[in-house]
Amino acid sequence: MDEVPEPHTGWTFLTNHARVLSAIADNHNARIRDIAAHCRLTERAVQKIISDLERDGYLSHVREGRTNTYQIDPSKVLRHPAEAGLTVASLLSWLVRDEAERKTAPDSHPRSQNPS
């Protein structure tokens, strides 16, 4: 079994809700244990976040045997007024694309690129 990475300390740019949603977008059949390890959260925290996302209509699931298959509503608008009009699809397209790029090119990171 994979070890859970050390939790991150300090502040971050993304919320845990965004991280969990991104992990689910990457694998609609992901186990809570795997999401927790990826996001560096406890399984209980991931369960609470999934509950929050389902309660507010961002996420739903269907139970298939012992597996959950998650469905994300890409048309939902983000909650904070500063992101008014920005949809889940827009957010996830950026996050999932970035994740894919990091997996395929570990040496190329945005910090190493010159913005000019």
Side-chain angles (χ1 to χ4, degrees):
M1 179 182 337
D2 295 331
E3 286 188 37
V4 176
E6 289 294 316
H8 181 274
T9 58
W11 66 274
T12 62
F13 283 100
L14 297 177
T15 67
N16 290 335
H17 284 66
R19 283 189 192 91
V20 168
L21 197 61
S22 176
I24 291 171
D26 193 42
N27 179 359
H28 289 277
N29 297 311
R31 297 179 308 169
I32 288 177
R33 173 179 299 159
D34 297 330
I35 296 168
H38 177 77
C39 297
R40 298 182 177 204
L41 298 169
T42 65
E43 290 179 34
R44 184 176 175 106
V46 171
Q47 289 172 331
K48 167 110 174 55
I49 289 168
I50 288 173
S51 176
D52 290 345
L53 293 169
E54 286 185 325
R55 182 188 64 238
D56 291 340
Y58 290 88
L59 185 67
S60 61
H61 77 276
V62 174
R63 186 88 172 154
E64 297 174 356
R66 295 177 59 191
T67 305
N68 285 325
T69 300
Y70 296 98
Q71 179 68 41
I72 296 170
D73 183 349
S75 66
K76 289 288 283 186
V77 176
L78 301 184
R79 293 172 45 127
H80 195 280
E83 290 96 31
L86 184 63
T87 64
V88 167
S90 299
L91 173 68
L92 290 176
S93 70
W94 177 76
L95 291 174
V96 172
R97 181 177 59 239
D98 182 62
E99 180 71 19
E101 289 170 1
R102 286 188 286 148
K103 285 180 181 175
T104 59
D107 293 335
S108 66
H109 193 275
R111 284 186 289 159
S112 64
Q113 297 173 355
N114 187 350
S116 56

